[in-house]
Amino acid sequence: MNSCKDWWKRTIAYEIYPSSFQDSNGDGFGDIKGIIRRLDHLQSLSVGALWLTPVYASPMVDNGYDVSDFYKINPLYGTMDDMDNLIAEAAKRNIRIVMDLVFNHTSDQCQWFLESRKSQNNPKSDWYIWRDAIEGASGREVPNNWRGIFGSSVWEWCKEREQYYMHTFATQQPDLNWENPEVRKALYDIANFWINKGVGGFRIDAIPYIKKPADFKSGKPDASDGMVSVHTMTVNTSGILDFLQEFKVNVTEGKDVFTVAEANGVGPEDLKFWVGEKGVFDMLFEFGHLHDVELWCKPSPYGISDFKRALIASQRAIANNGWYPAFFENHDKPRCVHNFFSPAVAENPETNKLAAKAMAALLFTLRGTPFIYQGQEIGMTNVKWNSIDKYDEVNSKAQYKFAIAEGHTPEEAMGFVNRFSRDNSRTPMQWDSSNNAGFTAGKPWIHLNENYTQINVAAEENAPDSTLNWFRNLIKFRSNSTDLLEGAFEAILEGHKQLMAYRRGHNITVVINLSEEPVVLSDKELAELGEKNILVSNYDGFSNSENRQKMCKSQIRPLEALILN
């Protein structure tokens, strides 16, 4: 087991969405035994940290992010013995398990909430966020106009208590009251339970929402429904860092584990308070570079310049204090080629492959720990289903309904869902071209992507030019480069509208054409790059000392990624 200090800075992290990774018993859902079966694949990618989205007991309203018991494993995924076996088998391959902590809310079937909802006077009555109704012209009204992440009001009436409870996400996911010290201690106890099990770290879900403003006042409406996003009203409320410093002291301080928190809404200027020596976490998933769209039918303009600006700002913010989790895909986002490139690129197999390789070159050469999302290493793509009934996740259905309410046609609403749905990243892992892509012997819980016969691990395993082997070679290249593991990041050609270019350490220069058009470099731009050897190109592969070429050409091809020295 890798136990060197800050081992997580040098490793490769990999995220698994357990329902869709590998089924071992034919019920159509991925499970823990299936993950064990595929550990050798992860080892071939030099994975050292394996993040599992929640596998705890759950009614699965939000695919496990509605936890009913953090001390039990969801029978859909297996048993606690299976979990112990996974931790042990992963350790044999120098892989440490990273658990997902969902500490903003629980399931409404959690015993804590079942007790809390009984009355306004019981041992857990103050474990969740309860508010009285407001008397309006039409009778009982909700406490404010906040709209939840999944649409509709954040408030749900509880007849037993004759009060509303708050849910930032689904109705079945009531928010915990972090102001109550008993709640905080219970959550710290859960994290320490898993540390004692031998896990190597935690990804912490939706953490910017745990602190609520004391006045709970209504906000300025942002849509025709007269409501305002709960994100706008609650994200990173003053005082949240006090809670998180307490979490650090009680859970992770002095232990060989790392933390990476989901923190959309934390800007580069605030990173110093969240990560680094005095920060509350080791790393922070921020989303400025991902074109994070809250209302899918109202996407903001986003281009190469926005993407570059966000990445460079983040790299600079942690240059001297903190560490960065480099990522372009996860279980909540579309596949990266669809997210960052036009449909013309994403839907053409050849340009899709070039773009996937370009994004991989960026992923493994930024300063930070690279996070791969399952299927990214083989270039899995978005789906394009023509019916909302094919989609499983709750937000896709809510966004479709919202788009219709905003006056869009069903076809337009489906276009938004196709583009942004979380189900794009949740289709089953494509292992081979056999029935159900080798994922299950049963009926998959969600439809497969129809291109699995062309894009799959088995097909790419022995193809030298495959996306999978490109990933493996880049990972090996990174592991052998002190510049990439430890070197500083320095942006160059920063004002260029098509190129992402930077230096790492003393010897590595990276140039990536993020556009669909060739780039002709001026003499000044060539001079700024300097006279370099081409080590890596996603058009031409990896060079060696015999075939190494000088970077003397003035044209960089569309979607070309170059690593130079």
Side-chain angles (χ1 to χ4, degrees), residues 269-342:
E269 67 280 2
D270 293 323
L271 281 177
K272 61 186 176 184
F273 304 114
W274 289 78
V275 297
E277 186 178 344
K278 296 183 179 179
V280 292
F281 301 118
D282 295 305
M283 295 183 281
L284 200 71
F285 286 128
E286 37 145 357
F287 298 86
H289 66 293
L290 285 190
H291 193 197
D292 201 26
V293 177
E294 185 173 346
L295 298 176
W296 297 349
C297 64
K298 297 175 182 280
S300 57
Y302 193 82
I304 294 172
S305 296
D306 302 295
F307 177 65
K308 280 182 58 174
R309 191 180 304 112
L311 274 183
I312 292 170
S314 295
Q315 288 283 300
R316 285 176 174 159
I318 49 87
N320 299 314
N321 181 43
W323 197 247
Y324 184 73
F327 76 105
F328 300 122
E329 292 189 12
N330 67 23
H331 65 280
D332 279 336
K333 299 298 175 186
R335 293 294 181 174
C336 68
V337 172
H338 296 263
N339 206 22
F340 297 116
F341 300 93
S342 72

Side-chain angles (χ1 to χ4, degrees), residues 11-131:
T11 197
I12 302 295
Y14 189 101
E15 180 192 356
I16 281 180
Y17 193 71
S19 291
S20 299
F21 192 64
Q22 179 65 62
D23 176 21
S24 70
N25 60 8
D27 67 355
F29 284 84
D31 48 44
I32 294 170
K33 287 183 177 178
I35 296 171
I36 295 172
R37 175 180 158 190
R38 298 295 187 177
L39 284 174
D40 289 344
H41 171 72
L42 303 181
Q43 188 177 28
S44 79
L45 291 163
S46 302
V47 170
L50 180 56
W51 160 25
L52 310 181
T53 61
V55 292
Y56 317 106
S58 167
M60 298 294 283
V61 170
D62 187 23
N63 293 289
Y65 282 91
D66 50 318
V67 179
S68 56
D69 194 331
F70 287 95
Y71 294 98
K72 293 180 180 178
I73 297 297
N74 189 334
L76 194 65
Y77 298 131
T79 66
M80 189 62 81
D81 285 343
D82 293 335
M83 190 69 213
D84 291 337
N85 192 25
L86 172 60
I87 293 170
E89 288 297 317
K92 292 176 183 177
R93 296 164 175 84
N94 209 27
I95 299 172
R96 301 192 68 181
I97 301 301
V98 178
M99 298 297 282
D100 208 322
L101 295 182
V102 189
F103 278 1
N104 176 71
H105 51 267
T106 69
S107 165
D108 63 353
Q109 299 306 302
C110 177
Q111 285 299 318
W112 299 350
F113 185 74
L114 294 176
E115 180 71 18
S116 186
R117 71 176 301 153
K118 287 179 181 178
S119 70
Q120 296 188 32
N121 185 22
N122 67 71
K124 288 187 170 53
S125 61
D126 194 33
W127 278 47
Y128 294 83
I129 296 173
W130 298 93
R131 288 294 181 273

Side-chain angles (χ1 to χ4, degrees), residues 150-395:
F150 295 161
S152 72
S153 173
V154 300
W155 300 104
E156 183 72 10
W157 183 250
C158 174
K159 187 166 61 175
E160 294 93 328
R161 284 182 60 132
E162 294 191 332
Q163 283 184 308
Y164 285 99
Y165 68 85
M166 182 180 171
H167 56 93
T168 294
F169 295 90
T171 303
Q172 300 91 336
Q173 294 170 291
D175 282 24
L176 286 159
N177 179 17
W178 271 70
E179 304 294 338
N180 186 333
E182 292 181 1
V183 171
R184 300 199 301 273
K185 182 181 183 304
L187 296 175
Y188 306 158
D189 288 347
I190 289 165
N192 283 312
F193 168 83
W194 286 102
I195 290 174
N196 292 334
K197 280 276 184 185
V199 303
F202 299 108
R203 179 266 186 181
I204 305 172
D205 180 68
I207 206 67
Y209 301 118
I210 62 170
K211 176 79 174 178
K212 313 306 194 264
D215 56 11
F216 284 85
K217 67 180 180 180
S218 290
K220 181 181 178 181
D222 59 16
S224 61
D225 60 3
M227 305 176 80
V228 63
S229 165
V230 67
H231 175 86
T232 302
M233 301 305 295
T234 66
V235 70
N236 301 329
T237 295
S238 178
I240 188 173
L241 292 170
D242 296 331
F243 287 156
L244 298 178
Q245 284 287 358
E246 184 182 87
F247 170 88
K248 179 180 178 180
V249 169
N250 283 275
V251 176
T252 62
E253 203 163 58
K255 298 172 185 173
D256 184 24
V257 295
F258 75 90
T259 52
V260 55
E262 178 189 40
N264 50 325
V266 177
E269 67 280 2
D270 293 323
L271 281 177
K272 61 186 176 184
F273 304 114
W274 289 78
V275 297
E277 186 178 344
K278 296 183 179 179
V280 292
F281 301 118
D282 295 305
M283 295 183 281
L284 200 71
F285 286 128
E286 37 145 357
F287 298 86
H289 66 293
L290 285 190
H291 193 197
D292 201 26
V293 177
E294 185 173 346
L295 298 176
W296 297 349
C297 64
K298 297 175 182 280
S300 57
Y302 193 82
I304 294 172
S305 296
D306 302 295
F307 177 65
K308 280 182 58 174
R309 191 180 304 112
L311 274 183
I312 292 170
S314 295
Q315 288 283 300
R316 285 176 174 159
I318 49 87
N320 299 314
N321 181 43
W323 197 247
Y324 184 73
F327 76 105
F328 300 122
E329 292 189 12
N330 67 23
H331 65 280
D332 279 336
K333 299 298 175 186
R335 293 294 181 174
C336 68
V337 172
H338 296 263
N339 206 22
F340 297 116
F341 300 93
S342 72
V345 169
E347 294 172 13
N348 178 302
E350 289 304 313
T351 54
N352 185 298
K353 184 176 178 180
L354 275 174
K357 288 184 173 184
M359 294 304 293
L362 183 58
L363 177 71
F364 294 114
T365 58
L366 288 170
R367 181 176 183 268
T369 299
F371 278 71
I372 304 169
Y373 178 70
Q374 65 180 50
Q376 185 179 357
E377 73 272 28
I378 58 171
M380 283 182 64
T381 68
N382 276 11
V383 295
K384 197 170 185 179
W385 296 326
N386 58 11
S387 169
I388 192 63
D389 294 332
K390 283 195 170 185
Y391 287 86
D392 176 80
E393 66 101 14
V394 61
N395 197 29

